Structures are given as structure tokens and as C-alpha cells.
Amino acid sequence: DISEHEFTLYRLEHNIPLHTTDYHDEMLLNVDEHDFVCFTKGCFLGQEMVAKVHNRSKPSWVLKVKYQDELSPQDQSKMTSTVLDPKTQRVLGFVFLPNA
């Protein structure tokens, strides 16, 4: 058994967002495609849309793990799954940022 704090910290350290917690109506395209999409597997739901974005463009927003003090106050207010990182004593969380 682990605490909610430990579980959240593990998810943040390994870039594992939870649907309905860290993103709701956002599409898989806004989550790291290299961790969540297999381009060699074959057919999957949403394959055509994912392939178009992967080959032709990029999503305008992407879900990232950031320290709170690295963000503007506006972005800080949008953070989810925030937790104090015991290694750095800084608040860490998920946030949608423009995809540069």
C-alpha cells in the first residue's frame, strides 16, 4: 500500500497522467504520443487522426510535468495532480502548455 501522495509523485516522475484528473475532454494527441501511441501495432481507435497530426502537424497544446515556480501565475492555477517533491521541496504537477 502507498499513500495518495506517493502515488501522485510516482505518476508525475514517470509522466503518467490520469484521464478525468489531469485531462478531460482533451484528446490523446495532447498527451505524450511516444508513451501512449504505438505506430507499429496496427489498428486502434482514433488511428487516422493521430497519424494525421503525427505526420502533418502537431497539437497546439501539450500536457507537461512542471515545477510550479517555473510557471506564470495563470499557468499555476491550471495545474493538476500537484504534490510537493521531497527531493527538491518544490511543488510539481501536470499543466497544459503551448506546444512550441
Side-chain angles (χ1 to χ4, degrees):
D1 289 337
I2 63 170
S3 70
E4 185 71 26
H5 179 271
E6 291 170 315
F7 177 62
T8 303
L9 183 59
Y10 178 85
R11 289 191 311 101
L12 288 164
E13 288 175 339
H14 293 89
N15 197 26
I16 305 171
L18 284 179
H19 186 257
T20 70
T21 300
D22 300 310
Y23 62 102
H24 299 277
D25 299 328
E26 301 298 329
M27 298 184 44
L28 184 64
L29 299 172
N30 298 95
V31 180
D32 191 354
E33 70 178 37
H34 303 292
D35 289 338
F36 296 100
V37 177
C38 178
F39 291 99
T40 60
K41 176 184 178 268
C43 297
F44 59 88
L45 187 61
Q47 176 182 6
E48 292 175 19
M49 197 174 340
V50 170
K52 280 183 183 178
V53 171
H54 176 75
N55 293 316
R56 295 183 184 175
S57 65
K58 62 184 178 181
S60 54
W61 295 89
V62 65
L63 188 62
K64 296 276 190 181
V65 176
K66 291 287 187 181
Y67 285 107
Q68 189 176 42
D69 58 13
E70 297 174 329
L71 301 170
S72 70
Q74 183 179 9
D75 288 334
Q76 289 177 9
S77 68
K78 298 176 187 176
M79 291 181 78
T80 60
S81 296
T82 57
V83 68
L84 184 66
D85 183 354
K87 296 174 200 156
T88 62
Q89 295 301 307
R90 296 164 68 196
V91 176
L92 189 63
F94 283 108
V95 64
F96 275 101
L97 296 173
N99 194 3

